Amino acid sequence: MIFGHNKVSNGRLNEAVHMVETYFRHRGLDSDKFRLPGSNEHGWWIKEGSAEVYIIVQAGNEELGTVLRISSPLVYVPQNNREEFYRHLLELNNDLSSCALSVYNDLVLVVTQRPTLGLSQEEMDELVWNAAYVADLLDNKLSQNYGAQLYSHDALRGVGTNNASR
């Protein structure tokens, strides 16, 4: 086993992939069933409550090394009250820890990104859980309060929904 209680990553791609696979194994899930199509086997998804969470391990350059990126699309930016909506997102960011809200092509996401150098299994597990928790907490509230359309992308996975709650 590569990782024990106090082991940390040396920043290599294979170590980060192993950590993600271990995360799924600890959850009693087969990581192969949650791989993202076209991700060169370095991307996975999981459903937590109403939130879809994507875990990507990106091979970086010499400077950054391998990067762990966790994201969860929440809602699309509403057509009305955009300024109020954006202000609310910024205010929410003030209270978040280990993740942030971002917008990409009018899609609001919870994101966490970190180089894998020095990353422990426990920290990786906590980053995934935290992003999933925040996403599940916020997606429906943002949709209800601002009339924002919820994100859903079941076709991306090519399989049925599997709710794997923690």
Side-chain angles (χ1 to χ4, degrees):
M1 182 172 186
I2 294 178
F3 299 100
H5 288 291
N6 295 319
K7 301 277 183 165
V8 295
S9 171
N10 291 319
R12 293 190 299 267
L13 181 68
N14 65 331
E15 290 175 326
V17 167
H18 178 77
M19 284 180 154
V20 175
E21 290 169 344
T22 298
Y23 168 80
F24 279 94
R25 193 170 45 256
H26 287 166
R27 300 282 309 272
L29 302 169
D30 179 356
S31 63
D32 288 337
K33 292 182 180 178
F34 294 87
R35 289 197 186 270
L36 291 172
S39 67
N40 296 326
E41 300 191 19
H42 304 308
W44 299 261
W45 66 274
I46 192 164
K47 184 123 176 150
E48 294 288 357
S50 59
E52 297 180 27
V53 180
Y54 300 92
I55 306 164
I56 307 293
V57 177
Q58 300 170 316
N61 57 32
E62 285 182 29
E63 210 174 289
L64 289 178
T66 302
V67 174
L68 174 69
R69 181 170 174 85
I70 302 162
S71 62
S72 182
L74 304 177
V75 296
Y76 293 92
V77 175
Q79 294 302 311
N80 299 322
N81 300 321
R82 291 171 78 95
E83 184 176 332
E84 180 184 334
F85 180 77
Y86 280 121
R87 180 179 177 92
H88 185 69
L89 294 181
L90 287 172
E91 289 169 350
L92 288 171
N93 262 338
N94 189 54
D95 295 327
L96 295 178
S97 178
S98 301
C99 64
L101 296 173
S102 71
V103 176
Y104 179 77
N105 287 339
D106 279 343
L107 181 61
V108 179
L109 304 110
V110 172
V111 295
T112 295
Q113 184 168 307
R114 181 201 190 290
T116 62
L117 182 63
L119 180 69
S120 70
Q121 182 68 54
E122 293 78 14
E123 183 183 3
M124 203 252 7
D125 293 354
E126 185 65 27
L127 290 171
V128 174
W129 181 86
N130 187 58
Y133 174 78
V134 169
D136 190 37
L137 184 69
L138 293 179
D139 58 358
N140 290 316
K141 286 181 183 179
L142 289 172
S143 177
Q144 292 167 357
N145 292 344
Y146 292 95
Q149 180 186 346
L150 284 168
Y151 171 85
S152 178
H153 203 205
D154 290 331
L156 176 68
R157 294 189 301 267
V159 295
T161 300
N162 182 351
N163 189 351
S165 295
R166 186 175 188 164

